[in-house]
Amino acid sequence: MPTTPTTTLPPSADERRRELLRTARDVADDLAADAITRDQAGKPPVDETARLREAGLPAALTPPLRGAGADWRTGCAVIREVARADSSLGEILARHYAHAWSGRFYAGHHGASDLEEEAVRGRWLWAGAVRAPGSAHDTGGPDLVLTPLDTGYVLNGRRPVDTAVTVADQFMVDAVCVVTGVTAASRCWAPTSASPWS
């Protein structure tokens, strides 16, 4: 007797939302058990951000494609769940979501989609410090500059980054090109203990 092939459909947006919120609650319950002790120890949240990555929460707000990702309302609900248990990790996740969308703000659609897919595959955690032109932090001259090379750019300068510096995989900053004078956003690879930047 012939059988009818079955097709597995990607989860609907409502199913994905419920699944993400259930995952966020599970992670939050895990984090709440020792949040005060960890906060008092003041150590970088290496293990805690690993928990977020393992649960897939950094990829939760990736723009929906092929049955993955969620909307901002869901992303904010995920942040609230995590922040109830550990406000520091809630802040890291919130800033990550904003920076993870930076490709949508600064790159064309194709480049942004490629970057988002690479970020999901690599389970990247984003941090950064992008400033609006003319902001209170604008002290007259650029603090970060991009120098063009044949193979890309070299980023030079200094800027404080408030959150997730020790655990981020990628940084998003704005910098001024020394040739054109144009301010552009720049994605930077985050140094690790195995990197030549250490």
Side-chain angles (χ1 to χ4, degrees):
M1 173 184 244
T3 60
T4 305
T6 59
T7 304
T8 303
L9 298 174
S12 71
D14 284 341
E15 291 168 329
R16 180 78 176 131
R17 177 180 170 77
R18 284 191 297 272
E19 178 185 327
L20 283 169
L21 292 177
R22 184 174 42 253
T23 300
R25 284 184 202 106
D26 290 346
V27 170
D29 289 346
D30 183 37
L31 293 171
D34 61 349
I36 293 172
T37 304
R38 285 185 289 102
D39 189 52
Q40 290 172 342
K43 294 181 181 174
V46 175
D47 292 337
E48 294 75 24
T49 53
R51 292 182 206 173
L52 296 178
R53 284 184 177 101
E54 289 165 10
L57 295 182
L61 196 57
T62 301
L65 32 108
R66 295 183 206 90
D71 58 17
W72 277 95
R73 183 181 75 143
T74 302
C76 290
V78 167
I79 292 165
R80 280 191 300 273
E81 288 295 334
V82 171
R84 282 186 190 127
D86 188 318
S87 60
S88 296
L89 283 172
E91 180 182 5
I92 287 172
L93 193 58
R95 289 178 184 253
H96 159 79
Y97 285 160
H99 291 300
W101 266 66
S102 58
R104 295 274 157 191
F105 303 135
Y106 301 112
H109 176 71
H110 180 70
S113 294
D114 289 349
L115 179 62
E116 289 158 355
E117 288 182 21
E118 187 179 359
V120 169
R121 274 193 312 275
R123 295 171 39 183
W124 291 346
L125 186 66
W126 288 83
V130 178
R131 297 181 180 167
S135 71
H137 299 289
D138 192 351
T139 58
D143 57 348
L144 296 175
V145 294
L146 290 170
T147 303
L149 300 176
D150 291 338
T151 58
Y153 292 86
V154 171
L155 178 67
N156 196 9
R158 291 177 179 237
R159 174 165 312 154
V161 177
D162 297 333
T163 303
V165 172
T166 58
V167 294
D169 302 298
Q170 300 286 321
F171 288 98
M172 177 60 64
V173 296
D174 61 287
V176 175
C177 178
V178 296
V179 174
T180 66
V182 173
T183 299
S186 179
R187 169 187 142 209
C188 308
W189 166 69
T192 64
S193 58
S195 80
W197 298 4
S198 299

